């Protein structure tokens, strides 16, 4: 074999592009070489400069700990704030592995790095904060839930999930053969990266803590040590919930006790969205309705009101007849944004258990919805965070976030309001007469490729989406109202006001300086008055970057009456009575802290140093209140 030599990083960079390179997998032979170990700590070659005060530090690896840590509370927690606060987000972006490469006929040791390519793809870190306002105390525990998957990635030099929607934008560094061989393998709880949402309950499903991903997985965690104990799919819970893709942002209806979500079943000629509900009384659940023969879109949520489910399909649609998506290619590679196609609003009647109407609007893109409700005229009002196109999805790649000079201006969002006019009236009659003309998953994309449209340049004209021609011409057109002249993401409302008229929305925004600079991400927490269309309050500190600011409402028994000594709001509870909780990264000090704000004016009530840096998160957390 010749003498072994250590290759430098520069050597590797010079040779990895050669097609005739020979790679020999390193054997775990104690007599020859020590087996490589996965590295999950920040290392010099994979971290930002220590004097960097940008957001970049929030997108590197972090270690976890088995210890439960008592934290020091600076300030005073509300005495009613008692419960468990959970967040989930990135924990591991980079995994190093050792391999043998041949240079000039000599085998040499080389260390390479596999990097998860998107903010949404990093292997998850779960955080648990046990909060006791009466004692003014917080304990903290955090855990990397997929360490076994890290080892598997190290051993295989990449990651190719055997299910669709497993990656958002990552080169798997694996062959198609590997994907084929992995297909059908039983998934293990600690090898499924469920990092998009964490919730403390699912009606009818045993367990006390669950994580979800963009696919259809429900990963159960031990609520105390945060280790994965089981992973299920919706079609395992009920075979009628067909499909291998779902949504992490299912919704609870507290009045009916239902958890509502959907699965997406992609067939040869059509795509079906099966909406279902599960309850404590009916743990196997039931299908509510199916949207049949619809375009295959990437959907991250839906709207819910007391009488309706509204499925919003933006024109980020599957390419190649959805073959790439079915074969577990990344979402960004499997879907294209078509600006000439409409955003579709399918309306399902929860009472009739059927699709009753479909509206269209101009092309847009969205990660998150704000709220939805029915007005006194029977109209359905939907508030969403919208973008003109899907540029934001690519900007949130690992490469872009680590190199802000390449990002440009982060796409600005709009808080938009769509009003669907009386879906049980004229829109219903129109749908009944025309719904057979909704194209299939393959035919809708083939229509985009007509030779005439491309020759004339009309295929990308945005006005086509709401024009008088095309397969969607029969659908009622819905315009939108821009509610505020500011950008917002990860919106939050008082959970008691979901599905009801409301006034306030909270979320992440930009400070005045950051909003005009390139390469900046959200660095503020803001409160917006939807009705007054104004920013009422904001929180911002230099070099600090918050993750989701979750609204925790006051319990009813502790609600303070209004200035006129009369109770206000839903059930006598003021809408902005509560707190916001966010994990904030302080880039200048290379650490993070838990921030608790008064929801009325965003004044700081308490701050808790975590004494370590927690990567920034775009995922959804949850809170389980314990009331005396």
């Amino acid at each position: 074999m010749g003498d072994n030599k250590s290759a430098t990083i520069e050597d590797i960079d010079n040779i990895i592009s050669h097609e005739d390179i020979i790679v020999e997998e390193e054997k775990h032979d104690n007599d020859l070489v020590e087996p490589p170990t996965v590295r999950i700590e920040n290392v010099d070659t994979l971290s930002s400069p220590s004097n960097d005060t940008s957001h970049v530090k929030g997108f590197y690896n972090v270690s976890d700990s088995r210890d439960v840590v008592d934290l020091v509370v600076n300030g005073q927690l509300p005495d009613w704030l008692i419960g468990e606060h959970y967040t989930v987000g990135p924990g591991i972006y980079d995994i190093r592995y050792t391999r043998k490469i041949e240079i000039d006929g000599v085998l040499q040791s080389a260390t390479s790095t596999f990097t998860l390519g998107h903010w949404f793809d990093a292997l998850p870190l779960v955080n648990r904060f046990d909060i006791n306002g009466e004692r003014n105390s917080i304990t903290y525990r955090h855990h990397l839930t997929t360490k076994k998957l890290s080892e598997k990635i190290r051993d295989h030099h990449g990651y190719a999930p055997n299910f669709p929607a497993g990656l958002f934008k990552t080169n798997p560094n694996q062959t198609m053969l590997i994907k084929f061989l992995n297909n059908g393998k039983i998934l293990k709880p600690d090898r499924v990266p469920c990092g998009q949402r964490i919730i403390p309950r699912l009606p009818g499903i045993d367990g006390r803590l669950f994580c979800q991903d963009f696919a259809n997985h429900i990963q159960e965690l031990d609520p105390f040590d945060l280790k994965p104990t089981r992973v299920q799919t919706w079609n395992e819970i009920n075979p009628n919930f067909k499909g291998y893709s779902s949504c992490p942002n299912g919704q609870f209806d507290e009045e009916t006790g239902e958890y509502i979500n959907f699965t997406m079943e992609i067939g040869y000629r059509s795509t079906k969205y099966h909406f279902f509900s599960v309850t404590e009384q009916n743990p196997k659940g039931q299908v509510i309705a199916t949207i049949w023969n619809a375009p295959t879109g990437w959907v991250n949520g839906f709207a819910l009101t007391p009488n309706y489910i509204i499925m919003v399909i933006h024109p980020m649609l599957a390419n190649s007849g959805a073959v790439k998506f079915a074969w577990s290619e990344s979402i960004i590679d499997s879907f294209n944004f078509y600006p000439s196609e409409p955003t579709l609003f399918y309306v399902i009647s929860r009472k009739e258990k059927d699709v009753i109407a479909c509206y269209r609007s101009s092309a847009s893109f969205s990660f998150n919805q704000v709220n939805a409700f029915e007005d006194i005229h029977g109209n359905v009002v939907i508030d969403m965070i919208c973008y003109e196109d899907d540029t934001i999805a690519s900007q949130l790649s690992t490469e872009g976030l680590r190199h802000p000079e390449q990002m440009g201006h982060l796409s600005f969002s709009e808080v938009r309001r769509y009003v669907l006019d009386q879906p049980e009236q004229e829109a219903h009659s129109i749908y009944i007469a025309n719904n057979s003309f909704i194209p299939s998953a393959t035919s809708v994309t083939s229509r985009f490729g007509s030779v005439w449209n491309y020759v004339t340049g009309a295929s990308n004209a945005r006005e086509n989406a709401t024009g008088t021609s095309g397969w969607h011409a029969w659908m009622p057109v819905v315009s939108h109202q821009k509610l505020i002249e500011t950008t917002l993401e990860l919106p939050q409302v008082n959970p008691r006001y979901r599905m009801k008229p409301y006034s306030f929305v909270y979320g992440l925004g930009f400070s005045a300086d950051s909003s005009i600079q390139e390469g900046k991400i959200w660095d503020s927490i803001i409160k917006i008055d939807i009705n007054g269309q104004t920013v009422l309050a904001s929180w911002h500190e230099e070099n600090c970057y918050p993750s989701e600011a979750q609204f925790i409402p006051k319990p009813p028994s502790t609600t303070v009456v209004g200035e006129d000594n009369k109770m206000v709001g839903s059930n006598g509870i003021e809408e902005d009575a509560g707190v916001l909780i966010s994990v904030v990264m302080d880039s200048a000090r290379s650490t993070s802290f838990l921030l608790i704000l008064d929801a009325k004016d965003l004044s700081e009530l308490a701050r808790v140093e975590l004494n370590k840096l927690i990567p920034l998160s775009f995922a959804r957390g949850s809170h389980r209140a314990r009331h005396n």
Side-chain angles (χ1 to χ4, degrees):
M1 290 178 59
D3 296 330
N4 285 341
K5 300 178 181 178
S6 293
T8 65
I9 295 297
E10 290 75 12
D11 292 332
I12 299 169
D13 290 338
N14 290 332
I15 65 173
I16 57 175
S17 61
H18 295 349
E19 294 181 358
D20 59 348
I21 185 170
I22 300 174
V23 178
E24 176 181 285
E25 301 294 342
E26 191 155 358
K27 298 179 180 179
H28 291 188
D29 188 333
N30 292 332
D31 294 333
L32 295 177
V33 346
E34 289 294 323
T37 57
V38 62
R39 300 185 185 182
I40 57 175
E41 73 280 1
N42 284 326
V43 292
D44 293 341
T45 57
L46 295 176
S47 60
S48 59
S50 59
N51 59 354
D52 182 7
T53 59
S54 73
H55 63 261
V56 171
K57 290 180 182 177
F59 299 96
Y60 286 89
N61 290 2
V62 67
S63 60
D64 64 356
S65 172
R66 296 184 180 183
D67 298 331
V68 177
V69 181
D70 291 317
L71 301 176
V72 177
V73 178
N74 297 304
Q76 181 61 53
L77 300 170
D79 57 7
W80 56 263
L81 186 60
I82 302 174
E84 301 143 24
H85 188 78
Y86 298 98
T87 69
V88 64
I92 300 176
Y93 284 94
D94 304 290
I95 298 171
R96 288 189 164 186
Y97 58 88
T98 304
R99 60 176 180 168
K100 292 288 188 179
I101 59 176
E102 185 175 338
I103 303 176
D104 297 331
V106 179
L107 284 179
Q108 301 188 8
S109 298
T111 299
S112 298
T113 301
F114 176 79
T115 297
L116 281 306
H118 199 276
W119 198 355
F120 304 162
D121 289 342
L123 303 187
L125 173 77
V126 171
N127 300 290
R128 170 192 160 121
F129 301 93
D130 201 316
I131 303 174
N132 191 314
E134 289 183 345
R135 300 177 181 176
N136 205 39
S137 66
I138 297 179
T139 61
Y140 173 53
R141 166 172 256 170
H142 56 304
H143 182 64
L144 294 165
T145 57
T146 53
K147 288 184 178 179
K148 291 293 185 182
L149 180 58
S150 302
E151 297 172 4
K152 183 178 179 181
I153 292 173
R154 177 205 65 198
D155 293 340
H156 292 271
H157 302 177
Y159 174 50
N162 62 345
F163 49 86
L167 292 172
F168 199 85
K169 186 184 179 181
T170 293
N171 181 351
N173 198 33
Q174 301 286 283
T175 65
M176 185 61 70
L177 177 61
I178 293 296
K179 294 183 180 182
F180 180 78
L181 294 175
N182 286 337
N183 192 38
K185 286 188 176 181
I186 297 176
L187 298 174
K188 297 181 179 180
D190 55 0
R191 295 190 181 183
V192 181
C194 294
Q196 305 309 319
R197 190 185 186 193
I198 186 168
I199 50 179
R201 66 185 178 97
L202 280 173
I205 301 178
D206 292 335
R208 294 185 57 197
L209 189 62
F210 304 91
C211 283
Q212 294 174 280
D213 59 5
F214 288 130
N216 64 342
H217 298 110
I218 310 140
Q219 181 188 55
E220 181 185 341
L221 304 180
D222 185 293
F224 300 104
D225 65 17
L226 306 178
K227 292 181 179 179
T229 58
R230 180 174 57 166
V231 64
Q232 301 179 82
T233 57
W234 287 115
N235 58 301
E236 290 174 343
I237 293 173
N238 188 328
N240 292 324
F241 303 164
K242 300 176 182 178
Y244 43 61
S245 184
S246 185
C247 159
N249 296 312
Q251 297 205 42
F252 290 93
D253 185 335
E254 299 294 346
E255 295 294 325
T256 64
E258 293 175 281
Y259 172 83
I260 297 175
N261 207 336
F262 70 89
T263 55
M264 188 166 70
E265 181 184 7
I266 301 176
Y268 173 66
R269 297 184 59 83
S270 65
T271 294
K272 299 176 182 178
Y273 298 87
H274 303 290
F275 276 87
F276 63 86
S277 69
V278 293
T279 64
E280 295 292 351
Q281 294 73 28
N282 184 12
K284 287 294 182 182
Q286 63 179 349
V287 174
I288 299 172
T290 295
I291 301 172
W292 62 278
N293 209 23
T296 308
W298 182 74
V299 184
N300 193 43
F302 58 92
L304 185 68
T305 71
N307 293 302
Y308 305 107
I309 300 169
I310 305 92
M311 178 68 142
V312 184
I313 301 181
H314 299 277
M316 185 173 174
L317 305 175
N319 55 38
S320 67
V323 173
K324 284 187 176 181
F325 183 60
W327 273 94
S328 308
E329 293 293 320
S330 69
I331 291 172
I332 289 292
D333 293 332
S334 303
F335 290 79
N336 292 339
F337 186 83
Y338 297 93
S340 62
E341 291 302 304
T343 297
L344 303 176
F345 296 77
Y346 291 89
V347 182
I348 294 173
S349 168
R350 296 175 64 182
K351 179 181 179 181
E352 300 297 329
K353 299 186 183 300
D354 201 1
V355 183
I356 62 169
C358 186
Y359 303 77
R360 61 182 169 131
S361 189
S362 56
S364 63
F365 177 76
S366 178
F367 287 125
N368 294 294
Q369 300 189 14
V370 180
N371 200 8
F373 58 91
E374 300 160 32
D375 67 17
I376 59 175
H377 304 293
N379 303 320
V380 176
V381 181
I382 305 171
D383 293 345
M384 304 169 57
I385 307 299
C386 290
Y387 300 86
E388 285 294 315
D389 55 34
D390 66 332
T391 300
I392 182 70
S394 296
Q395 287 180 313
L396 300 184
S397 69
T398 306
E399 181 73 12
L401 292 167
R402 288 179 174 179
H403 298 90
E405 70 279 1
Q406 301 175 12
M407 181 190 297
H409 279 108
L410 192 68
S411 295
F412 275 29
S413 64
E414 295 180 350
V415 184
R416 293 183 179 180
R417 171 163 291 180
Y418 295 86
V419 180
L420 310 185
D421 184 44
Q422 297 180 325
E424 296 191 25
Q425 302 300 320
E426 184 180 3
H428 177 56
S429 300
I430 294 173
Y431 179 79
I432 293 298
N434 295 277
N435 71 81
S436 61
F437 290 99
I438 296 179
S440 67
T442 53
S443 64
V444 71
T445 51
S446 67
R447 290 170 189 262
F448 300 149
S450 68
V451 175
W452 175 251
N453 277 348
Y454 276 104
V455 169
T456 60
S459 61
N460 287 320
R462 298 188 68 90
E463 57 269 22
N464 288 355
T466 54
T468 57
S469 63
W471 63 269
H472 46 69
W474 59 269
M475 298 179 185
V477 175
V478 180
S479 60
H480 67 266
Q481 175 190 3
K482 186 177 178 180
L483 295 182
I484 188 74
E485 291 291 336
T486 189
T487 190
L488 185 78
E489 253 305 347
L490 293 174
Q492 284 275 319
V493 300
N494 185 328
R496 297 196 182 103
Y497 282 75
R498 290 176 186 151
M499 302 193 298
K500 301 174 184 177
Y502 70 110
S503 298
F504 307 122
V505 58
Y506 304 83
L508 304 187
F510 286 105
S511 62
D513 290 340
S514 296
S515 64
I516 60 175
Q517 297 183 41
E518 294 189 354
K520 297 290 186 179
I521 67 169
W522 308 281
D523 62 354
S524 301
I525 299 172
I526 61 177
K527 176 184 181 180
I528 293 172
D529 180 352
I530 289 295
N531 300 320
Q533 299 186 356
T534 58
V535 176
L536 294 179
S538 65
W539 178 93
H540 167 73
E541 278 191 15
E542 197 71 21
N543 306 321
C544 289
Y545 301 88
S547 294
E548 178 193 39
Q550 189 176 355
F551 188 102
I552 314 299
K554 274 187 177 181
S557 60
T558 62
T559 300
V560 180
V561 298
E563 293 180 359
D564 56 358
N565 291 323
K566 294 181 179 180
M567 303 296 282
V568 293
S570 174
N571 298 321
I573 300 172
E574 293 178 307
E575 184 178 336
D576 57 358
V579 299
L580 295 173
I581 301 180
S582 175
V583 177
V584 181
M585 182 191 75
D586 185 335
S587 185
R589 297 189 299 125
S590 298
T591 190
S592 297
F593 57 89
L594 191 69
L595 180 68
I596 297 92
L597 302 176
D598 189 324
K600 288 187 176 295
D601 56 10
L602 300 192
S603 59
E604 182 174 320
L605 298 176
R607 175 181 305 214
V608 184
E609 295 291 343
L610 303 183
N611 301 315
K612 70 179 303 176
L613 192 150
I614 302 299
L616 296 174
S617 172
F618 198 79
R620 293 295 200 174
S622 63
H623 187 87
R624 190 207 317 264
R626 298 195 305 270
H627 302 312
N628 292 333

